[in-house]
Amino acid sequence: MSPSRRSRRKTRTSSRVRRPRRDPEEHRGESTTTTPAKSTEQVLARFHELQSRRKSSVVEDTADDLRWRYRKAAAVLDVFALSELRPIGGHEPPAGAAVQILDDTVPASGWVGEGLLTLRSDTRREAIRRLAMRDNLKRALADNPIRRSTDVQLLFERWLADGTLPLDEMSSRELQCLRVLCDWGLEEFEGFPDRREVEFAWRRRSVVAPFDMLARGFVGRAKELEALREYAGLSPSSLWSRAQAFLLGSKSPPLVVHGPGGVGKTALIAKFILDYFDNPRAARFPFVYLPFDDSNLDPREPYRLIAATFTQIESQLTSDPDAATDATVQEPLQSFRSTFNSYLGRRERLARRAGKATSQKGRLDELGMLDRVLQTALSELLRVASEFSGRQADTRAAPILFILDTFEEVEFRPAADLKLFWEFFEFLSKSVADLRMIIAGRTIPTGTAITRRKPRELALDELTNEDATALLSHLGLTDPDVVEAVVRQIGTNPLTLRLAARVLTDEDTGTEAIKDIKTTKFGIFRIGQEVIRGQLYRRILDHIHDPDVRTLAHPGMVLRRVTPEIIEKVLAPVCGITNVTAERSKQLFDTLRSEHSLVRLDPSGALTYREEVRRPMLALLTADKPDGTMRLHESTVAYYAQRTDPTARAELIYHTLMLNRRDDPRLRQYWGPDLEPLLASSAEELPPAGRVWLASMMSLELPDEVIEQGRQEDRERIAGRRVLRSFRSGDFESALKFADQVPTLAATSPLQALKARTLFALDRSEDAYVWLQQAIADFPAFGDQARLAELIWLAAQAALRTNRREQAAAWLENLISTAASVRSPLALVQALTEMTAVASDDARIAKARADLAIALGAVKREEADREAALIRLALARMGPLPVEPWQRWAPRVTYDLLQSIGENVTIISEGGRRKVAEALALSSAPRLRELAASLPENSEPRMLVEAGEASAKEVGRPNPDRHAIDALWELFKAEGTTLAASTLAGLDPEREQWELEAGMEAAL
């Protein structure tokens, strides 16, 4: 066994040892060095000092006796009400006496609504120090029998009862509570763990914190757990195959864990992870858990998945005491963090209108290169994690587990959206030794990227009879006859069993009545599982005692969320319940909230029906009570129409589409990209027309035959979204195929421009030029001028690409007149900026520069902030005169360039640095001349950044130094940007939202 392995075991078990109590003062400031043994005289002196302190504390208490008695009572309570607090000592206090410690309290977090308080930490620590001994703590607790059973309070009382807290047996939540108890000052008491051990245990346990709750109540599935262990290379039978795979470089295909909702896929994975994590003799292995119902995980952008992966791997490594001081671990972590920050900075520069790329394809190729650099850095970090975990287990390397959970949230997206996602995992599987990928979802993924690798399958459905019996026992069914009948008559599906247990345990008429139910009432359940569940849901509803709640609960499933106000203003009126006040609606809400098998409380405080409950019941409701269902949709739309927050907008859109009103103008008015995660999971509930509309606004896969039933504008949006997603992945052949999916385009369709851009990327500029000429010729006289301006800009670019320079200038003249009708002056600024570079005669160039100075004066500040690179290029091409545009814009648009220089000074050539220095040398400002002298000699980015900052500050003055303007002019020219890879600026307000959602690098 390695020394590091032994030391880690020692750390995990040391908290079980009952340590002698240490003196509080002696413990403060304790170092890690060994304390010399004390003489008998020193020990006796310390004993007398402690005795004296305890006597003095009695004297202090006598001086302010009642107040300290209250403080000591409050010190052993996590939260309390002043009216319920009793001072220690057992004597009845005067009425209202507890108010004298009000200044020692603060409102208890999470309990403000109930008016509960908690003691200030400094007061609590002093009160506990005065209590001094465990018996005193127990007496203080006994004097206050009215206590709130918070997690912290329960853990405190548990420690008082048995005196030990085994850290490696505690959940993440318990360890978090233990950290709170450390802050109380309890670490000075015998048997209480050391704070440093608690911190390490908490950090270590935080790694699996999400799994603690997910695995709660798990039973059975021994065969499936062994299959996971074997796949991950963690069972004895798989060690040889794993060694062969590592040595020969063969890669394990993914393991797909699939089954219907509620069958326990996530719980199985959680149990598998915890079994190894909680076993001190088991080898550690790095793992990454990506649940795709988390809206922060966007499978369309691998860098978001990489960020989540890094966070988890870093947490796992830094939670190990050995890794915290291991340079072979810490240096790669720091290196990856630096690479990731560089990736974000360089990607931000690629999203600027004016850039160094000379074509759209070049811009996107560079983005693809950045993606690969980041993925390579991640694979290197994973190798480090694997080798470190292997050293801990005395092996060469440990397997690395990637778990992709709730994969149905990925599968609903179009294939074009997932190309980068699958390329990312294909890259990892080839570059990371012993990578094991587990995919958990309702079905087997159908994408070619997964089917090509022939995944292994682990189907979850029915439990074994033995496991089903264990589950029912865990759920409170103890009568063996009842358990046997349930298993025999309704099967062993976990979800159905949980519902059956809920129905049976609700019966309160005795065992004989339950036996009667099992043989007669359950006798009808000999058909499909969904029908069985539907009957069980009805039985659960029947057991709700409040008749109003029973009336609301069933039709309430039409709604995706329920709040007290929705009960009052929507459900109660539609369901015919009268006199429902705000107070009564709160009571109804609280009663419905207690029905845990039906609803759960979401983070916003609303109740949502469990999906496995709502889906089958929604279909039944729509079929059985169509009129009532429509009235609920109508009333809900009216309710949410008064609000504009994301939740309200999402609900209004959902219920409007359920009413099949896709022409309602509020759909487009209320839509925003922030609604996508709020609506994606409900797409299957919508009628076909509603699904097509939703697919036109968000990433949603639909069969082609369904899309073809949609309207022209919806089909064009769907095709356009796919084109832009293909741009992002660099798949321009697919982009052209998607652009051609709509045979006849509307003259003003965004797809006109997208097809031309696709032809550019495929080096078919001549075809693009022909296409654009026809599109402009067919454009309606009173069509959207912003769309026309975009086509003219692309026509000018096509002319340049096909060596038609004079025609390009003519197109730009046309664009300059058209851009006057576009709301944003940025379109005109860009047209004039390009004209200064394309025009061949001096008179036209001079006029373009003069007009550009005027156009820059119309730009708004927020527009300049968004298009700083374009404004810099405009100033560079306009020249150092007139002064006014420089005074207005140069200070504002300089700083993002200086930030880029600070990260990579080579973006400015040596010749550019020299010209900046030459301009500054002529300045009358001493500081600028000083910087001019330093620039040629010092190649540090800092010097050029300081010169730029000082020049920008000078240019912003009322009477700027002309040489400072010259210096910035040279700096902006040296940036070397072009507009050859961009679309026309200033059109974003005119574009549809989907055109901006593929990432700015693809949208530009």
Side-chain angles (χ1 to χ4, degrees):
M1 180 184 297
S2 67
S4 59
R5 180 74 168 157
R6 285 193 298 269
S7 65
R8 188 153 55 87
R9 290 188 183 176
K10 182 177 179 182
T11 301
R12 285 200 300 265
T13 57
S14 60
S15 60
R16 300 173 185 264
V17 179
R18 295 172 61 95
R19 301 191 318 274
R21 178 179 175 272
R22 291 172 290 178
D23 172 68
E25 294 299 325
E26 179 181 291
H27 180 63
R28 292 189 181 96
E30 179 186 58
S31 70
T32 56
T33 58
T34 303
T35 304
K38 295 183 178 181
S39 65
T40 303
E41 290 77 8
Q42 289 175 313
V43 172
L44 287 173
R46 192 59 177 156
F47 172 76
H48 291 306
E49 179 186 345
L50 289 173
Q51 288 293 96
S52 174
R53 183 186 298 172
R54 287 172 184 165
K55 290 177 181 178
S56 68
S57 72
V58 174
V59 174
E60 290 172 11
D61 286 0
T62 303
D64 195 3
D65 184 55
L66 187 58
R67 187 176 186 186
W68 272 109
R69 285 168 55 206
Y70 270 115
R71 286 171 170 169
K72 290 177 179 178
V76 297
L77 301 177
D78 182 27
V79 299
F80 57 88
L82 275 182
S83 59
E84 298 169 353
L85 190 63
R86 294 294 178 265
I88 65 169
H91 303 295
E92 189 65 28
V99 76
Q100 62 184 299
I101 68 162
L102 187 60
D103 290 342
D104 298 318
T105 67
V106 293
S109 176
W111 297 87
V112 176
E114 297 187 31
L116 300 186
L117 306 171
T118 190
L119 206 58
R120 291 183 182 276
S121 65
D122 55 342
T123 306
R124 188 191 296 274
R125 290 183 69 91
E126 178 59 22
I128 284 180
R129 188 188 72 81
R130 291 181 179 223
L131 286 166
M133 293 183 292
R134 183 192 300 273
D135 286 345
N136 292 340
L137 296 176
K138 291 180 177 179
R139 280 194 287 271
L141 204 61
D143 286 340
N144 278 274
I146 301 177
R147 301 192 290 272
R148 300 301 191 281
S149 296
T150 68
D151 291 344
V152 171
Q153 188 70 40
L154 293 173
L155 186 64
F156 170 63
E157 294 180 21
R158 172 178 146 195
W159 168 72
L160 272 184
D162 62 24
T164 59
L165 290 171
L167 300 185
D168 52 359
E169 296 177 11
M170 298 175 71
S171 69
S172 176
R173 174 60 186 163
E174 289 173 324
L175 288 166
Q176 177 60 40
C177 294
L178 191 54
R179 297 173 78 212
V180 174
L181 295 181
C182 286
D183 291 336
W184 286 16
L186 294 175
E187 59 182 321
E188 311 297 343
F189 286 77
E190 179 184 2
F192 199 88
D194 180 80
R195 178 185 288 268
R196 288 169 299 182
E197 294 178 9
V198 171
E199 285 296 318
F200 260 121
W202 172 73
R203 272 190 285 173
R204 178 177 172 274
R205 192 72 197 186
S206 295
V207 169
V208 293
F211 301 119
D212 281 329
M213 181 65 70
L214 294 172
R216 185 171 296 176
F218 183 91
V219 296
R221 299 288 194 192
K223 179 181 176 182
E224 289 85 352
L225 285 169
E226 178 57 28
L228 287 177
R229 286 191 287 267
E230 190 278 329
Y231 172 75
L234 299 171
S235 68
S237 62
S238 64
L239 292 180
W240 171 241
S241 61
R242 181 176 153 235
Q244 284 182 312
F246 187 89
L247 293 172
L248 299 177
S250 59
K251 306 301 178 184
S252 297
L255 173 67
V256 177
V257 180
H258 61 93
V263 80
K265 299 179 292 293
T266 300
L268 174 72
I269 291 170
K271 176 64 173 173
F272 162 65
I273 295 292
L274 289 178
D275 278 352
Y276 272 82
F277 196 85
D278 290 335
N279 184 352
R281 293 183 297 277
R284 294 285 175 261
F285 56 90
F287 66 90
V288 177
Y289 178 68
L290 303 177
F292 285 102
D293 54 354
D294 180 349
S295 60
N296 293 316
L297 296 178
D298 187 347
R300 296 170 296 184
E301 283 293 350
Y303 85 93
R304 293 184 180 274
L305 309 183
I306 291 173
T309 297
F310 171 67
T311 298
Q312 293 185 35
I313 293 296
E314 181 184 42
S315 177
Q316 290 170 42
L317 290 176
T318 55
S319 69
D320 190 303
D322 295 334
T325 57
D326 190 332
T328 64
V329 171
Q330 294 304 315
E331 289 175 6
L333 286 173
Q334 183 58 42
S335 175
F336 180 85
R337 191 178 291 108
S338 175
T339 300
F340 190 80
N341 290 335
S342 174
Y343 171 88
L344 294 178
R346 294 180 67 181
R347 183 165 179 175
E348 189 275 331
R349 289 194 288 277
L350 282 178
R352 296 172 184 172
R353 182 84 48 186
K356 294 197 173 185
T358 57
S359 69
Q360 174 185 253
K361 184 176 185 300
R363 184 200 302 271
L364 293 169
D365 284 347
E366 185 174 351
L367 178 56
M369 181 272 293
L370 292 178
D371 287 337
R372 287 188 290 276
V373 168
L374 185 61
Q375 291 169 18
T376 301
L378 178 67
S379 67
E380 174 61 20
L381 180 63
L382 294 176
R383 181 191 63 78
V384 169
S386 173
E387 291 180 355
F388 174 78
S389 297
R391 290 201 303 272
Q392 299 297 89
D394 297 326
T395 62
R396 180 176 177 180
I400 298 176
L401 212 57
F402 257 84
I403 304 167
L404 312 181
D405 200 6
T406 53
F407 202 72
E408 60 271 13
E409 297 290 334
V410 175
E411 281 283 277
F412 76 77
R413 298 182 183 276
D417 283 18
L418 300 179
K419 188 172 188 297
L420 290 176
F421 172 83
W422 286 120
E423 286 178 355
F424 166 52
F425 280 106
E426 189 72 17
F427 172 84
L428 283 185
S429 69
K430 291 178 179 177
S431 59
V432 179
D434 219 7
L435 179 77
R436 307 297 174 103
M437 187 190 302
I438 297 176
I439 300 174
R442 294 181 183 173
T443 59
I444 300 174
T446 56
T448 56
I450 184 72
T451 55
R452 185 173 62 246
R453 300 191 64 205
K454 297 179 180 178
R456 295 170 59 178
E457 295 182 35
L458 179 59
L460 289 193
D461 190 7
E462 305 291 309
L463 296 172
T464 65
N465 284 356
E466 182 181 359
D467 288 347
T469 299
L471 176 61
L472 291 171
S473 176
H474 175 77
L475 295 172
L477 294 184
T478 57
D479 187 318
D481 292 337
V482 172
V483 169
E484 180 189 353
V486 170
V487 171
R488 183 178 66 253
Q489 297 188 51
I490 73 167
T492 59
N493 180 280
L495 174 59
T496 311
L497 289 173
R498 290 179 183 277
L499 292 170
R502 166 64 197 278
V503 170
L504 287 170
T505 53
D506 272 351
E507 298 287 348
D508 54 6
T509 54
T511 304
E512 292 304 316
I514 294 177
K515 289 180 180 179
D516 179 61
I517 289 173
K518 74 174 183 186
T519 56
T520 58
K521 296 180 182 178
F522 272 168
I524 65 172
F525 300 148
R526 296 183 180 276
I527 45 182
Q529 288 291 322
E530 284 200 0
V531 177
I532 293 174
R533 290 174 197 158
Q535 297 293 341
L536 290 171
Y537 295 142
R538 292 180 189 274
R539 290 291 304 278
I540 290 171
L541 292 172
D542 289 343
H543 287 114
I544 297 176
H545 296 294
D546 190 315
D548 286 346
V549 176
R550 281 202 306 274
T551 302
L552 296 172
H554 192 200
M557 291 183 186
V558 170
L559 308 183
R560 300 198 315 158
R561 58 194 307 275
V562 177
T563 66
E565 189 172 351
I566 288 172
I567 290 175
E568 179 186 2
K569 297 184 177 179
V570 177
L571 274 172
V574 173
C575 294
I577 303 176
T578 58
N579 301 320
V580 176
T581 62
E583 181 61 30
R584 175 59 177 156
S585 67
K586 179 66 168 60
Q587 295 170 356
L588 295 172
F589 177 87
D590 289 339
T591 305
L592 182 59
R593 177 182 175 179
S594 66
E595 299 297 325
H596 301 298
S597 57
L598 296 177
V599 297
R600 57 165 61 97
L601 193 69
D602 74 8
S604 71
L607 293 178
T608 59
Y609 282 88
R610 295 181 180 274
E611 185 178 343
E612 61 270 20
V613 174
R614 184 173 176 271
R615 282 285 172 87
M617 294 303 290
L618 184 61
L620 291 174
L621 277 168
T622 304
D624 293 349
K625 301 179 180 179
D627 293 341
T629 300
M630 289 300 105
R631 284 199 305 273
L632 265 177
H633 288 309
E634 294 268 12
S635 184
T636 307
V637 168
Y639 170 78
Y640 283 114
Q642 311 304 316
R643 298 162 49 192
T644 58
D645 59 276
T647 298
R649 291 187 288 119
E651 296 310 304
L652 180 139
I653 288 173
Y654 169 79
H655 289 283
T656 300
L657 292 176
M658 289 295 283
L659 289 165
N660 223 0
R661 295 177 181 169
R662 59 181 176 176
D663 293 319
D664 191 319
R666 289 175 299 189
L667 291 176
R668 298 287 297 279
Q669 175 190 346
Y670 275 50
W671 178 260
D674 55 337
L675 304 190
E676 184 166 335
L678 302 178
L679 287 165
S681 62
S682 295
E684 293 180 4
E685 301 169 10
L686 300 174
R691 273 187 288 160
V692 173
W693 184 90
L694 197 60
S696 75
M697 305 302 291
M698 61 176 281
S699 175
L700 183 64
E701 177 76 323
L702 288 180
D704 288 342
E705 57 270 21
V706 175
I707 295 175
E708 288 170 3
Q709 299 175 26
R711 295 174 301 183
Q712 170 87 3
E713 62 182 273
D714 291 337
R715 288 186 285 123
E716 287 184 1
R717 284 197 211 105
I718 292 172
R721 294 180 65 88
R722 292 177 172 180
V723 169
L724 284 175
R725 289 312 308 179
S726 297
F727 280 8
R728 170 64 181 92
S729 63
D731 185 1
F732 298 106
E733 292 288 351
S734 293
L736 184 60
K737 181 186 71 174
F738 292 135
D740 289 336
Q741 276 187 339
V742 185
T744 305
L745 296 180
T748 58
S749 169
L751 272 176
Q752 299 278 8
L754 284 178
K755 181 167 181 177
R757 292 173 59 194
T758 306
L759 292 170
F760 282 162
L762 293 170
D763 292 325
R764 294 172 56 183
S765 297
E766 187 66 41
D767 291 340
Y769 192 41
V770 172
W771 174 266
L772 287 162
Q773 285 180 302
Q774 188 63 51
I776 294 170
D778 293 341
F779 202 87
F782 298 102
D784 185 341
Q785 293 299 288
R787 293 292 180 194
L788 177 60
E790 179 178 36
L791 294 173
I792 297 172
W793 167 261
L794 293 174
Q797 296 298 305
L800 287 173
R801 289 168 181 264
T802 55
N803 299 314
R804 296 179 172 98
R805 193 175 187 86
E806 287 303 318
Q807 291 186 32
W811 284 117
L812 288 173
E813 287 283 10
N814 191 345
L815 176 59
I816 289 168
S817 61
T818 304
S821 302
V822 177
R823 280 187 292 176
S824 171
L826 286 173
L828 181 58
V829 167
Q830 183 167 332
L832 290 165
T833 299
E834 191 73 342
M835 179 63 86
T836 63
V838 172
S840 56
D841 60 283
D842 292 342
R844 184 181 281 184
I845 293 173
K847 183 178 188 310
R849 286 175 174 168
D851 291 344
L852 182 55
I854 297 170
L856 283 169
V859 175
K860 296 182 175 63
R861 289 189 173 186
E862 58 271 19
E863 291 177 316
D865 291 341
R866 190 168 59 249
E867 296 284 359
L870 171 60
I871 302 298
R872 285 197 301 273
L873 181 59
L875 291 170
R877 291 188 180 176
M878 182 192 73
L881 290 175
V883 171
E884 290 77 16
W886 285 92
Q887 284 179 292
R888 179 171 185 176
W889 296 123
R892 198 170 190 92
V893 301
T894 298
Y895 290 102
D896 70 321
L897 172 60
L898 297 180
Q899 183 179 9
S900 300
I901 293 171
E903 296 170 0
N904 180 15
V905 72
T906 60
I907 66 173
I908 302 297
S909 67
E910 285 297 323
R913 290 168 62 90
R914 186 172 59 255
K915 289 182 178 181
V916 171
E918 289 171 356
L920 291 179
L922 300 174
S923 173
S924 59
R927 175 58 179 158
L928 295 184
R929 291 198 304 274
E930 178 186 339
L931 289 166
S934 303
L935 271 178
E937 302 172 1
N938 195 327
S939 61
E940 290 184 17
R942 176 180 56 83
M943 296 306 301
L944 189 55
V945 169
E946 287 185 15
E949 288 177 344
S951 300
K953 185 176 182 181
E954 174 60 32
V955 169
R957 298 183 191 281
N959 296 300
D961 186 324
R962 279 290 310 281
H963 299 294
I965 294 178
D966 289 342
L968 287 185
W969 183 42
E970 296 295 348
L971 186 65
F972 291 176
K973 286 192 295 181
E975 187 179 2
T977 57
T978 175
L979 293 168
S982 67
T983 55
L984 188 61
L987 304 189
D988 289 358
E990 321 290 338
R991 296 189 190 280
E992 294 193 48
Q993 188 61 47
W994 63 265
E995 297 179 76
L996 305 174
E997 289 175 14
M1000 287 304 296
E1001 305 88 357
L1004 283 174

